[in-house]
Amino acid sequence: MRPAHIALASLVAAVWGVNFVVIEIGLDHFPPLLFSALRFLAAALPAVFLVGRPKVAWKWIVGVGLVLGVAKFGLLFMGMDSGAPAGLSSLIVQIQAVFTALFAFTALGERPGRARAAGMAVALAGIAVAAVDEGSSGPLLGFALVIAAAACWGVSNVLTRKASPPDALNFMVWVSTVPVLPLLALSLLMEGADRDLAALRSLDWTGAGVVLYVAWVTTIFGFGAWGWLLRRHPASSVAPFSLLVPVFGMSSAFLILDEPVSPLRWCAAALLVGGVALTTLPGRRKPRPSVQQQEPLTAQRA
């Protein structure tokens, strides 16, 4: 990868890492489900009128929109609203790589190799260490909701792989149109119209800014740039940069929110990031015999 492309991949990881701090700030202004609905509404409009028609079947757009937009982000925002710290959340959602491998094996028959299986075991050990740390210092409900969000992310990754969208930005913008109404309906049902109206009436520049950040910077710029990189480089070259997300997430949470990082959490981070790194390794391919190796076999057959 060119230095400029490496810098862009690192910038996307930084944007996605800082996003967890922005979400934490936004949850002080909005109920979690309403916040998530506003995020996708701002991501879809006006971009949906600029990216052209969908380039994959609607079943994939609706499926990913419900699983990623409603389930994954709804659970993530609710988990953080229930007390899961921003830095820890940025780390825990990386377990999606393990869920993706498991669901890909179940749905697509993609059997993980030994390195990936070992990576999954190491990553799960990191989750166990993080659970011990969170159990002694924070609410387990929020922790469990973030893990559930990671599982939904794994399902959406498999659906996206099946969809194989040729344009990641076009796909993400159209996916963003799906969760808005379901999330608004869930917000009215679970959070109440009074709470939603109070949040909208008290909207200030900070509240508007966090919505625009999670919609335009994280979603439009982040996924658009990531898709641009994937079209120009092998996935095995681009994907490892996502391991920087919890680094930026935990660092920004410490610097901006003064979120403490315990020794157990550092241990969990090392295990989880190391395990996820192993799961990104490509499987071994059987070496093709060279011309010199093939000639004797041809001679024997002749």
Side-chain angles (χ1 to χ4, degrees), residues 21 170 175 205-206 289:
V21 172
N170 174 281
V175 162
W205 287 108
T206 302

Side-chain angles (χ1 to χ4, degrees), residues 40 54 56-73 151-163 165 171-172 174-180 182:
F40 284 107
V56 299
W58 271 102
K59 64 178 181 180
W60 301 121
I61 293 173
V62 174
V64 174
L66 292 176
V67 176
L68 181 69
V70 179
K72 185 261 183 176
F73 281 104
C152 293
W153 194 359
V155 174
S156 74
N157 285 339
V158 174
L159 293 176
T160 301
R161 189 176 304 175
K162 291 282 287 183
F171 182 67
M172 194 61 205
W174 280 102
V175 162
S176 297
T177 64
V178 175
V180 178

Side-chain angles (χ1 to χ4, degrees), residues 285-299:
R285 294 182 179 179
K286 294 182 179 180
R288 297 180 63 181
S290 63
V291 174
Q292 290 80 1
Q293 291 174 321
Q294 292 176 354
E295 286 178 351
L297 295 175
T298 305

Side-chain angles (χ1 to χ4, degrees), residues 12-247:
V12 173
V15 163
W16 285 345
V18 174
N19 183 56
F20 288 86
V21 172
V22 177
I23 292 171
E24 188 77 27
I25 296 171
L27 289 171
D28 291 334
H29 294 74
F30 307 102
L33 294 176
L34 176 64
F35 185 19
S36 189
L38 294 174
R39 174 248 180 94
F40 284 107
L41 178 62
L45 298 175
V48 72
F49 299 109
L50 305 174
V51 297
R53 297 172 62 86
K55 298 180 180 180
V56 299
W58 271 102
K59 64 178 181 180
W60 301 121
I61 293 173
V62 174
V64 174
L66 292 176
V67 176
L68 181 69
V70 179
K72 185 261 183 176
F73 281 104
L75 289 169
L76 175 63
F77 282 32
M78 290 173 65
M80 294 180 65
D81 189 59
S82 298
L88 181 63
S89 298
S90 73
L91 174 66
I92 295 304
V93 293
Q94 299 308 313
I95 199 68
Q96 58 86 16
V98 174
F99 286 115
T100 300
L102 291 174
F103 296 144
F105 171 68
T106 303
L108 306 177
E110 297 180 0
R111 188 179 299 274
R114 292 182 180 179
R116 288 185 176 180
M120 292 164 63
V122 172
L124 290 173
I127 290 294
V129 173
V132 171
D133 179 56
E134 185 69 4
S136 62
S137 61
L140 283 176
L141 175 60
F143 182 86
L145 289 173
V146 174
I147 292 180
C152 293
W153 194 359
V155 174
S156 74
N157 285 339
V158 174
L159 293 176
T160 301
R161 189 176 304 175
K162 291 282 287 183
S164 298
D167 185 336
L169 178 60
N170 174 281
F171 182 67
M172 194 61 205
V173 169
W174 280 102
V175 162
S176 297
T177 64
V178 175
V180 178
L181 292 180
L183 284 169
L184 285 175
L186 287 171
S187 180
L188 289 172
L189 181 65
M190 300 176 63
E191 296 163 347
D194 292 341
R195 188 181 176 192
D196 288 351
L197 288 174
L200 294 173
R201 286 169 180 165
S202 61
L203 181 66
D204 55 15
W205 287 108
T206 302
V210 296
V211 170
L212 294 180
Y213 182 93
V214 297
W216 291 357
V217 180
T218 303
T219 304
I220 301 300
F221 166 75
F223 281 97
W226 197 256
W228 185 87
L229 289 168
L230 286 172
R231 287 196 299 273
R232 285 158 179 79
H233 301 281
S236 58
S237 298
V238 179
F241 283 92
S242 66
L243 298 177
L244 295 174
V245 172
V247 176

Side-chain angles (χ1 to χ4, degrees), residues 258-276:
D258 198 25
E259 184 180 303
V261 184
S262 67
L264 269 181
R265 192 166 297 179
W266 282 121
C267 179
L271 288 170
L272 186 53
V273 172
V276 171

